[in-house]
Structures are given as C-alpha cells and as structure tokens.
Amino acid sequence: MKRTRTGFGTWTALTAPTALVVLLAGCGTGQDGATPQDGPGSVSEQMIGTWYAWDIPGYQATDFGLQTFDEAWIEFRDDGTWSASDGCNGAGGKYEVGADGDFSATKPGPQTAIGCANVPNDRTLYTSSKVAVVDGVLVLSNQYDNITGRYLREPQAAPSGTPGGAP
C-alpha cells in the first residue's frame, strides 16, 4: 500500500487561514454589547461618592463662612439620590445622568438655614443640566454650557481664587 501526501500543501494553504479566522472570531472586544457610556468609566459611575466644593461661580465666602467651607460637600449614591451640606445645613434629593452627560437633580425639600459657609450646592445641582468628570474634577454646567460648579474629592480650605483656596 502506497501512501501519497498529495493535497497536504493544499490543506495547509486553505485550512490554516480558515482556522485563524475562526480563532480570532472568538476573541471579541470584551465589551459584551456595552457602550463606552455604560462601562466602568462612565460619568454616572465616576461621580458616585463625595465631592467637595471648589469653585461655584458667583459664590463669595464670607470670613465667617470660610470657617466651615471645607465642610461643604455633595454625595452622589448609585441609587440615584444625592445629599449635600452647605457647610452646616443638610439637603437631599434625586438625580439622573444620561449616557451623554445630560444631568438633572430635584430641588431639596425644607431644610434648616443655620449661618455658615452657605455654599449653594443644592442650587448648583438643580440648575445644572450637564455633568462631566474632567481630570478628576466634577464639572457641572447649565444648558448654555456655563459652569455652575466644580468639585474635588478632597475638602478645600477656601473657594478657588480665594486666599487659602486651590488655584
């Protein structure tokens, strides 16, 4: 019985590329249908947690208010609720973030009005319509793309541009 190897070169030439295509087809992108907006780097995921007031256009801290400015914060929870302090008074509500950074927040209900830094975190939220996290800074802006507030992850001694505040 004589065996010949005819066709071996043909098999290699035709089958090897086909096998490679089949192998690579199973490699996928790893996104499983996810879009960049709903992946782990999405704005809605990046903003979860506590942020401290840094720059609120139009807000001027008084000498008295500077004593509690570092206690002014906003916290976003993954259940769609927010809570905040203006330096001593609490507030809270709900928020939504769209895939493209569209943002909305409800006005808070009744709250106390003790004198302190009175950072307008609640107003900043409910007047904003866009949100982004840029270089570690939470940036809120209105429908005209005017910045309504910037927040950092660490407490600030004073607002941006104020002696003792971040630049």
Side-chain angles (χ1 to χ4, degrees):
M1 173 192 251
K2 182 177 177 187
R3 294 187 178 172
T4 61
R5 297 181 73 185
T6 57
F8 178 77
T10 303
W11 181 89
T12 304
L14 294 176
T15 309
T18 303
L20 182 60
V21 168
V22 170
L23 286 172
L24 291 177
C27 289
T29 62
Q31 291 185 352
D32 297 325
T35 63
Q37 292 82 14
D38 57 20
S42 69
V43 173
S44 61
E45 289 186 7
Q46 291 177 41
M47 64 189 283
I48 299 298
T50 305
W51 296 87
Y52 295 89
W54 172 45
D55 178 33
I56 311 291
Y59 169 75
Q60 296 291 319
T62 64
D63 288 340
F64 174 72
L66 287 176
Q67 297 172 20
T68 58
F69 184 81
D70 63 344
E71 298 172 33
W73 51 267
I74 295 174
E75 179 184 8
F76 296 99
R77 293 183 202 90
D78 59 5
D79 66 357
T81 60
W82 64 268
S83 58
S85 171
D86 65 356
C88 61
N89 301 297
K94 295 182 179 184
Y95 74 95
E96 291 182 2
V97 180
D100 58 355
D102 285 346
F103 177 82
S104 66
T106 60
K107 288 184 177 184
Q111 60 194 56
T112 60
I114 299 170
C116 59
N118 297 122
V119 177
N121 289 326
D122 57 348
R123 186 188 72 213
T124 299
L125 290 175
Y126 69 76
T127 62
S128 297
S129 58
K130 295 218 179 267
V131 64
V133 178
V134 181
D135 296 328
V137 177
L138 179 75
V139 180
L140 293 152
S141 56
N142 63 20
Q143 63 188 8
Y144 306 107
D145 292 328
N146 297 321
I147 292 175
T148 55
R150 288 188 275 200
Y151 293 79
L152 302 173
R153 289 286 190 183
E154 298 295 323
Q156 303 299 302
S160 172
T162 305

